[in-house]
Amino acid sequence: MKEEDVNRCQILEWYPKFKSVSIRTIIHELPECFVQYLTNDSVPFLLPVSISNEDALPNRIHNPEEEEDCQVSEGSGDEAEPSVPPSFPEFELKVKKSIEALGGAVFPKLNWSAPKDSAWISTSGTLRCTKFSEIALLLRSSESLIHDLCHAYDSCSDKTMSRPPSFFLALRKWYPSLPPEMEFRCFVRGQQLVGVSQREVTTFYPVLSEKKNDLQVLIEEFFNDNVRLKFESEDYTFDVYVTKDERVKVLDFNPWGAFTLPLLFTWEELEQKPRERDELDFRIVESQCAVRPGLKTAVPYDYLATSPGSGWDQFLSNADAELQQQMKFPEAGA
């Protein structure tokens, strides 16, 4: 993988070319002071002061009794200067106008990634944001965005930099009723579409079995008509969504390998697929027994202990044993 392959997958690079077949997006360059706010772990986690007085979380109820319990007596040596919350008034105003232009609700992402791992902390449990403070909360709470901020080029064979010259915030229009079963990841090798995987692999959707052939035709035609000659890399992946009226929308591009998830494939399988034209391998979860387990726990990664002997290790072991039992005796899972 080369740096140019990674750069092509930045939303600010690919969105202008695919705007007509994607979802509405407004992109803002991040002020460097806001980038420092996202990466600085040496200070307390404070949300920015909103110039609109729009808080991401409900205001704390004033309880004098609790405050008396927490008071520190004078001269104890434990007193510290209170941290001053940051403020980004000009940037907040730009973001507010963009949210309004996109219908009042958006989901955010940086150059490459969205803060999916921090959705648990929002009041809705999703990436839906209606105000600047909610966006700041998701971005500042996300561990996965550290990849964009500090490690985007770590897998490049010609690595010359640790971060791009500028970071960008993409605000994408929020659609409340997009069924997850209609999102797919497409794998391109040698500019040929060699594989397609159901994006949400932790659930069995019977409708996909019924529509598999039709979906394959739609996605292949979309790739040949809209993607193959426009995206310059030889090897890459892209995510699409198929609407109810059978239109295909491109959602994202990602580099081949490295930090990109292969979902129902393995990268070893994909690497072995011939670069010349061959039959497309279209994979979906075919039954409840074929579901790929995932840690969709709605809690931070740091809260999960998955080491041998931990509660999660035992849970996953039991789940695997149950799956094997159901595969041997299908009626047992009925």
Side-chain angles (χ1 to χ4, degrees), residues 117-189:
D117 60 320
S118 58
W120 67 276
I121 204 172
S122 73
T123 53
S124 65
T126 69
L127 296 184
R128 180 179 183 273
C129 297
T130 60
K131 59 192 75 169
F132 174 75
S133 57
E134 291 175 339
I135 293 172
L137 175 64
L138 289 176
L139 298 181
R140 185 65 175 79
S141 305
S142 175
E143 290 289 339
S144 65
L145 291 189
I146 296 300
H147 164 266
D148 285 26
L149 296 168
C150 305
H151 304 290
Y153 301 102
D154 283 2
S155 300
C156 295
S157 58
D158 60 345
K159 179 181 176 182
T160 60
M161 53 186 174
S162 59
R163 53 159 282 179
S166 299
F167 288 102
F168 293 83
L169 172 66
L171 302 175
R172 317 205 72 187
K173 182 177 175 63
W174 175 264
Y175 294 91
S177 57
L178 294 183
E181 65 268 24
M182 287 300 159
E183 187 175 347
F184 301 90
R185 173 155 293 173
C186 307
F187 300 86
V188 179
R189 179 167 168 78

Side-chain angles (χ1 to χ4, degrees), residues 288-289 322-323 325-334:
Q288 191 65 45
C289 294
E322 177 67 20
L323 174 61
Q325 182 73 9
Q326 290 185 22
M327 293 178 69
K328 288 182 180 179
F329 308 99
E331 66 275 8

